[in-house]
Amino acid sequence: MTKPRVTLVTCRDYPQLQADEAGLPDALAERGMDPQIVCWDDPDVDWEAANVCVVRSVRDYAGRRQSFVDWAHSVPKLLNPADVIEWATDKHYLADLAKVGMPVVPTTWLESESKLTKHQVHTRFPALGDFVVKPAVSSGGREMGRYTANRGESRMKAIQRAVSLLDAGRSVMVQRYLKQVDTYGEISLVYFNGILSHAVQKSAMLSPAEETDAQLQVEGVSSHEPSPQEWEWGEQARRAIHQHIYNRVGHDQLLLYCRVDLVQDGEGGCYIMEISPVDANLFLGETPGALEKFAEAIATRVMW
């Protein structure tokens, strides 16, 4: 009897997946699957041979997003599906979620086609406090920086970063840095097949601009038991995401996995920092049993 094939999709930087998912092929094999690991841009892969294809460590898509989206639309039985991948690989999705009433982090969007001057970019930055500049298409927190509005050197470096991205034809996001990230951190809620699997708490990812000019720091991550309020925030976000996808494509598409990142807003509510239904780090190593839950979720979809 032929075993169902599960093709785990990665990139050349992670030929055996990321470290906390290294045990996933074995976990799938234990459930009667035939797991294969392949790179998304390998021209020799027979995508038709798989029962399902699961996008995982594709951290290189940001520099070739259109090629990646075209590839996704060419692959049958892809999880998560191609139209979700197209939507979620550009953080303009936050504007879509805001339109349906979700509390996303307030964002100023700078578009390359606007041909903004350095002065015009400068006027779109906050006048006080720390703020973050990052491209709308990025993966794994790359190319973003934290700056201080009232420090001339820091503000100039923020302008240079934004202009460099805009000159490369990329959209830029400007967001106030939320102090709650430093005091409480972010909460990441991980869903498998629409059901909350586990959660982690992450410490600040960006160091203060005064010290290191917005260099990325290694996150402190620990398993977290969501409070009832955090659980409800996550459920609101999950429902909004699925409703938007339904409105966008005209039919239900249950996501195999999705990570929702939340931060407190300081007023008893929350902001959605990001959603990740494409190449999300699912923090499978931080919570006992999480990897097995993911393998079970994949196996369930194979059997549908």
Side-chain angles (χ1 to χ4, degrees):
M1 181 177 177
T2 303
K3 295 181 179 180
R5 175 172 294 184
V6 176
T7 296
L8 302 170
V9 184
T10 186
C11 66
R12 298 178 192 278
D13 291 338
Y14 299 98
Q16 298 302 317
L17 307 178
Q18 295 184 103
D20 70 339
E21 296 188 351
L24 186 57
D26 287 344
L28 288 169
E30 290 170 1
R31 287 160 176 78
M33 307 291 112
D34 174 22
Q36 308 286 325
I37 304 175
V38 301
C39 294
W40 70 269
D41 57 354
D42 184 342
D44 296 326
V45 175
D46 179 7
W47 300 104
E48 295 279 354
N51 291 77
V52 296
C53 300
V54 179
V55 173
R56 291 311 311 130
S57 308
V58 290
R59 293 303 177 90
D60 63 345
Y61 77 77
R64 295 184 288 161
R65 177 177 176 266
Q66 191 55 56
S67 295
F68 181 63
V69 169
D70 291 344
W71 164 82
H73 280 285
S74 74
V75 177
K77 296 166 284 188
L78 183 65
L79 300 176
N80 288 318
D83 44 19
V84 172
I85 286 174
E86 181 171 4
W87 175 62
T89 49
D90 185 329
K91 290 183 177 61
H92 281 90
Y93 67 71
L94 290 172
D96 293 333
L97 294 179
K99 289 176 183 176
V100 297
M102 295 308 299
V104 304
V105 176
T107 302
T108 297
W109 300 92
L110 310 181
E111 306 297 348
S112 60
E113 57 266 26
S114 297
K115 305 298 181 183
L116 300 173
T117 65
K118 288 184 178 180
H119 176 72
Q120 289 171 321
V121 169
H122 159 76
T123 62
R124 285 158 172 78
F125 289 165
L128 297 171
D130 282 11
F131 62 98
V132 175
V133 174
K134 56 186 174 183
V137 177
S138 64
S139 175
R142 293 169 176 83
E143 300 180 279
M144 68 178 180
R146 174 180 170 184
Y147 304 94
T148 299
N150 56 359
R151 286 182 60 232
E153 181 182 3
S154 183
R155 194 176 186 93
M156 181 54 66
K157 288 184 177 181
I159 293 171
Q160 291 170 346
R161 181 181 292 248
V163 169
S164 175
L165 291 168
L166 291 167
D167 285 348
R170 303 174 70 181
S171 297
V172 174
M173 307 165 64
V174 181
Q175 299 173 328
R176 286 189 179 277
Y177 186 79
L178 302 176
K179 293 181 180 179
Q180 297 91 309
V181 175
D182 289 335
T183 57
Y184 186 69
E186 294 181 37
I187 301 299
S188 289
L189 303 170
V190 179
Y191 295 84
F192 296 148
N193 290 330
I195 299 173
L196 181 63
S197 166
H198 58 282
V200 299
Q201 187 170 21
K202 301 182 292 182
S203 61
M205 187 175 180
L206 289 170
S207 62
E210 293 88 345
E211 297 177 1
T212 59
D213 186 34
Q215 294 300 306
L216 283 174
Q217 302 297 298
V218 176
E219 296 173 282
V221 181
S222 58
S223 181
H224 176 73
E225 182 64 33
S227 68
Q229 188 177 48
E230 290 166 346
W231 184 89
E232 179 56 34
W233 289 339
E235 282 300 299
Q236 291 174 11
R238 184 194 61 77
R239 289 193 296 266
I241 293 163
H242 280 264
Q243 184 61 50
H244 179 80
I245 292 170
Y246 178 85
N247 293 341
R248 179 183 172 91
V249 303
H251 54 85
D252 289 323
Q253 293 201 5
L254 182 64
L255 300 180
L256 169 64
Y257 61 88
C258 186
R259 196 187 81 208
V260 178
D261 294 343
L262 307 174
V263 64
Q264 294 182 4
D265 65 5
E267 299 179 354
C270 79
Y271 286 124
I272 296 175
M273 297 283 285
E274 185 173 331
I275 66 169
S276 303
V278 181
D279 65 333
N281 184 338
L282 301 176
F283 302 111
L284 301 180
E286 280 71 25
T287 303
L291 186 142
E292 288 73 20
K293 286 184 180 180
F294 189 37
E296 196 65 37
I298 294 171
T300 296
R301 296 298 289 269
V302 171
M303 300 307 180
W304 283 7

